[in-house]
Amino acid sequence: MDPQTAITGRELILAASAIGAGLAMIAGIGPGIGQGYAAGKAAEAVGRQPEAQGDVIRTMILGQAVAETTGIYGLVIAIILLFVQPLLG
Amino acid sequence: MDPQTAITGRELILAASAIGAGLAMIAGIGPGIGQGYAAGKAAEAVGRQPEAQGDVIRTMILGQAVAETTGIYGLVIAIILLFVQPLLG
Amino acid sequence: MDPQTAITGRELILAASAIGAGLAMIAGIGPGIGQGYAAGKAAEAVGRQPEAQGDVIRTMILGQAVAETTGIYGLVIAIILLFVQPLLG
């Protein structure tokens, strides 16, 4: 086999990193659902008590920020796989 | 094997990048569900209190913007895989 | 086969580790949904009893911290796969 064209182990690891990065992003399903639920409940609460709008929105944003974390974790792992490439020796 | 026709490591990485980009987009399930829920709750709230429409819609849009983020992350990773191709040396 | 270009078992393990790390992050779906639900219920409660805001938010944050744990477990396993590489002898 021509060494110029054979697949090396290094290239196999990089190919698997592309798939791993894509898989890591699937985590984003969760924050999307959860933050949308929070948005819906906040909209409902504001419709009932427009004068509490500031408190409701502040609570929603704080809770949504916590719900964002696992989506960020997935993004961080994807970026590590794509740019840091720690599996290459 | 003919070096012209053999699969190269570079091609394997590009093939895996296609799969990774597709996987990353699965994240979009979440924002789609969550933002739709928020829209439904906001519609319900406006139906009950039409005079609070401005406040309800503002709250919905703010919350939906937060719920959009993980879908954007998936899109960014897919675009990086397809166009930046950081895994090719 | 040329030892320069052949894929070794060690490289196969590292490639599989990239996919495993990505899979581990999918756990983040759960905390994202659950924490968002908590955020939504907290926003609803603050809308009803704005004077209980401190207690409501404290309860939400405590509950969300517990819901975060499985997302952290996934992150820890991904980091171990990527950086500790315990599967290499």
Side-chain angles (χ1 to χ4, degrees):
Chain A
M1 198 181 275
D2 186 341
Q4 298 297 124
T5 60
I7 295 166
T8 65
R10 182 186 163 89
E11 288 159 344
L12 181 68
I13 292 168
L14 289 170
S17 295
I19 295 173
L23 287 169
M25 299 317 294
I26 296 177
I29 292 174
I33 296 175
Q35 290 167 345
Y37 177 85
K41 280 295 182 185
E44 190 179 41
V46 166
R48 274 192 198 140
Q49 309 269 10
E51 71 281 6
Q53 191 177 346
D55 289 336
V56 167
I57 288 177
R58 218 172 299 121
T59 307
M60 177 191 80
I61 293 287
L62 178 62
Q64 284 180 324
V66 177
E68 183 82 359
T69 52
T70 54
I72 303 274
Y73 299 163
L75 181 63
V76 167
I77 292 296
I79 287 172
I80 288 173
L81 282 166
L82 296 182
F83 295 102
V84 181
Q85 302 169 0
L87 297 168
L88 299 180
Chain B
M1 198 181 273
D2 186 342
Q4 298 298 124
T5 60
I7 296 169
T8 66
R10 184 184 163 89
E11 288 160 346
L12 180 69
I13 292 169
L14 289 170
S17 295
I19 295 174
L23 287 170
M25 299 318 294
I26 296 177
I29 292 173
I33 295 175
Q35 290 168 345
Y37 176 86
K41 278 296 182 185
E44 190 179 42
V46 167
R48 272 192 199 141
Q49 308 270 9
E51 71 281 6
Q53 188 177 347
D55 290 336
V56 168
I57 288 178
R58 217 172 302 121
T59 307
M60 178 191 78
I61 292 287
L62 178 62
Q64 284 180 325
V66 177
E68 183 80 1
T69 52
T70 53
I72 303 272
Y73 300 163
L75 180 63
V76 167
I77 291 297
I79 287 172
I80 288 173
L81 280 166
L82 297 182
F83 296 102
V84 181
Q85 301 170 0
L87 299 169
L88 298 180
Chain C
M1 201 180 271
D2 186 342
Q4 298 297 123
T5 62
I7 294 166
T8 66
R10 183 186 161 88
E11 288 159 343
L12 180 67
I13 292 168
L14 290 170
S17 295
I19 294 173
L23 286 169
M25 300 318 293
I26 296 177
I29 292 173
I33 296 175
Q35 290 167 345
Y37 177 84
K41 281 294 183 184
E44 189 179 42
V46 166
R48 275 192 196 140
Q49 308 268 11
E51 69 281 6
Q53 190 178 347
D55 289 337
V56 168
I57 287 177
R58 220 171 298 121
T59 306
M60 177 190 79
I61 292 286
L62 178 62
Q64 284 180 324
V66 177
E68 182 81 1
T69 52
T70 54
I72 303 273
Y73 298 163
L75 181 63
V76 167
I77 291 298
I79 287 172
I80 288 173
L81 281 166
L82 296 183
F83 294 101
V84 182
Q85 300 168 1
L87 298 169
L88 300 181

